[in-house]
Amino acid sequence: MKKLKTTETPLKISELKDRRIIRRPTRQFDEFGNRIYNEFEYEFPYHPTHKGNERERLFAKVIDTSPFFMAFVFIFHQPVFISIVLSIPCVIILGTFCEWYFGTTLGKKIFKLTILDDHGNQPGFIKSFLRNILCLANLFPVFTDFIPPPNHTWEAEGTQMNFSMYLNNKICKTYIVKEHKIQEIRNLLYTQKTKAAQ
C-alpha cells in the first residue's frame, strides 16, 4: 500500500469534516405550488468506519484464532482452555506482523477490512503491536437495555450483551475500514491538504 505524500502540516483522518446540506421546509410555495425549502450546510466529524462493523471484527478475530486453537488441540493435544490461552499470544504476534506488512489479517481480509492510521497509511510496527495488545480489552462485554420500537410488537424488552470493539483503535488512533473506502479517505485527505496549502 502506498503512503500518502505528507506536507509540513499533514491532515489527519480525525480532522476530516463531512459537509452535509440539510433542507428544511418553509411555509412558502413557488408559482407551481411546490414547497420552498431553505438549505443549511453543516460540518460533522467524518466517520470512516461503517455501521455494524463490531460483528465483522469479532468474527474476523475468531477466524484468526481458529488455526492456532485447532493446532494446540489436535496436534499438541492440549486441553481446550489451555489451547485458548496459548492461542492469544500467537494471534497477537501474527496480527502485529500482518497488519504492519499487509494492512490486514486473514480474518479481516475475508470481510474486506483494512487498518489505517490517522494519516491514512498502514500502521507502523509499534502501533500495530500496541493495538493488538489492547484488543484484549475489547473482549469485555458491554450490557445495554434494549427497548424495541413501538411497531415491533414481536420483540421483547431485555438486556443485550455486546462487545466494545473501539478501545484499542481509540487509544492508537487507528481505523478499521472497508477496502473500498480507502480511496475515498485518501481523496479527502489530499483535497483538504491541497486547500490548506493554497
Side-chain angles (χ1 to χ4, degrees), residues 59-119:
F59 286 145
K61 189 63 70 177
V62 170
I63 292 170
D64 291 336
T65 308
S66 296
F68 296 107
F69 174 75
M70 301 292 279
F72 284 119
V73 170
F74 296 106
I75 298 176
F76 299 104
H77 306 291
Q78 296 295 321
V80 171
F81 178 75
I82 298 298
S83 298
I84 294 173
V85 172
L86 294 174
S87 298
I88 292 173
C90 295
V91 171
I92 290 173
I93 294 169
L94 183 65
T96 298
F97 279 98
C98 288
E99 291 174 6
W100 167 62
Y101 193 80
F102 300 108
T104 189
T105 64
L106 174 63
K108 291 183 180 69
K109 186 67 177 177
I110 291 173
F111 291 100
K112 300 185 183 301
L113 300 173
T114 190
I115 300 163
L116 300 176
D117 65 12
D118 210 14
H119 297 286

Side-chain angles (χ1 to χ4, degrees), residues 136-148:
L136 297 173
N138 290 340
L139 299 178
F140 286 103
V142 176
F143 297 94
T144 56
D145 292 329
F146 172 72
I147 301 176

